[in-house]
Amino acid sequence: MKLIVGLGNPGKEYENTRHNIGFMVLDELAKSWNVSFDKTKFNAEYAIAYHGGIKYLLVKPTTYMNLSGEAVGKFYDYFEIDIEDILIIYDDLDTKTANFKLKAKGSSGGHNGIKSIISHLGTEKFNRLKIGIDRPTPPMKVVDYVLGRFSKDEMSEIEKIYSKSVNCIEDFSKMSFVDLMNKYNIKKISHNYRSNNQ
């Protein structure tokens, strides 16, 4: 069984905000798999999906971002899910808008939802799919930026990565996470390599 969690804030006022990109990607996944979030448990909306012979729990915590770990921890314990079978999808200020990055472990990086999950799982070693939203231009505050909605141009770029995100999540059950990162993470060419080959 795989536990796929999208982070965000519940309610109409937060729909399509940058902080809700985890919800948005999970909604696209559910649409692709023809399932709906018609169940509630542990302060979360969730769907059960079977894809490629694998059972998935698609979970959207409804506790608001800062308490996301409450729902994740309860699903993890109740369904006795292996830690390596968890994938958390969320917004990342340090990645360019509409790019994404897979990461196998690490600190919260200041993200309160991830901080809560680390607290409730008792470990930093869980898989993440970080969707880039870029950083705000000063003097805009980060809190106002992440709770703001994507511009029309940004939304156009975000929509282009939905299918890639769905493919990535589908591959999550088919290969090791190291192989998944090698396949989907953008490769950076080192300065020395460029210098030696100009």
Side-chain angles (χ1 to χ4, degrees), residues 172-189:
F172 175 58
S173 65
K174 301 174 185 176
M175 58 181 69
S176 72
F177 202 73
V178 170
D179 288 341
L180 195 70
M181 290 189 289
N182 287 334
K183 179 175 180 178
Y184 286 97
N185 282 348
I186 295 174
K187 307 296 189 300
K188 293 183 180 179
I189 301 173

Side-chain angles (χ1 to χ4, degrees), residues 28-67:
E28 289 298 317
L29 178 66
K31 188 187 301 181
S32 176
W33 289 358
N34 197 31
V35 296
S36 57
F37 293 92
D38 55 359
K39 298 175 177 61
T40 58
K41 196 180 193 74
F42 304 138
N43 292 318
E45 296 176 354
Y46 75 103
I48 296 175
Y50 293 87
H51 190 82
I54 303 292
K55 183 178 180 179
Y56 291 82
L57 294 175
L58 311 182
V59 175
K60 297 194 294 185
T62 55
T63 52
Y64 291 96
M65 183 65 81
N66 293 4
L67 301 176

Side-chain angles (χ1 to χ4, degrees), residues 7-161:
L7 300 189
N9 289 307
K12 288 284 186 183
E13 64 185 298
Y14 296 108
E15 285 183 359
N16 297 323
T17 57
R18 294 181 180 89
H19 223 18
N20 272 37
I21 190 66
F23 278 10
M24 294 159 69
V25 169
L26 213 57
D27 284 339
E28 289 298 317
L29 178 66
K31 188 187 301 181
S32 176
W33 289 358
N34 197 31
V35 296
S36 57
F37 293 92
D38 55 359
K39 298 175 177 61
T40 58
K41 196 180 193 74
F42 304 138
N43 292 318
E45 296 176 354
Y46 75 103
I48 296 175
Y50 293 87
H51 190 82
I54 303 292
K55 183 178 180 179
Y56 291 82
L57 294 175
L58 311 182
V59 175
K60 297 194 294 185
T62 55
T63 52
Y64 291 96
M65 183 65 81
N66 293 4
L67 301 176
S68 297
E70 292 182 6
V72 176
K74 287 176 181 176
F75 272 90
Y76 169 67
D77 289 336
Y78 183 84
F79 290 98
E80 298 182 340
I81 296 168
D82 291 335
I83 199 76
E84 63 266 23
D85 289 329
I86 296 175
L87 181 66
I88 310 295
I89 309 166
Y90 64 102
D91 56 296
D92 181 34
L93 289 163
D94 295 318
T95 302
K96 186 178 178 182
T97 297
N99 285 343
F100 70 67
K101 181 179 181 181
L102 291 155
K103 191 174 181 182
K105 61 182 178 179
S107 69
S108 68
H111 193 287
N112 288 329
I114 297 300
K115 188 182 298 183
S116 176
I117 292 171
I118 290 171
S119 174
H120 283 270
L121 293 183
T123 181
E124 295 183 347
K125 294 181 180 180
F126 54 85
N127 303 316
R128 306 111 189 263
L129 173 56
K130 304 163 66 171
I131 309 291
I133 61 170
D134 222 334
R135 284 194 172 272
T137 302
M140 179 178 278
K141 295 179 179 178
V142 168
V143 64
D144 294 329
Y145 178 75
V146 299
L147 294 180
R149 286 181 168 79
F150 290 105
S151 68
K152 185 176 180 180
D153 288 343
E154 286 174 329
M155 199 63 228
S156 178
E157 292 302 308
I158 289 293
E159 288 171 353
K160 291 177 183 177
I161 69 162

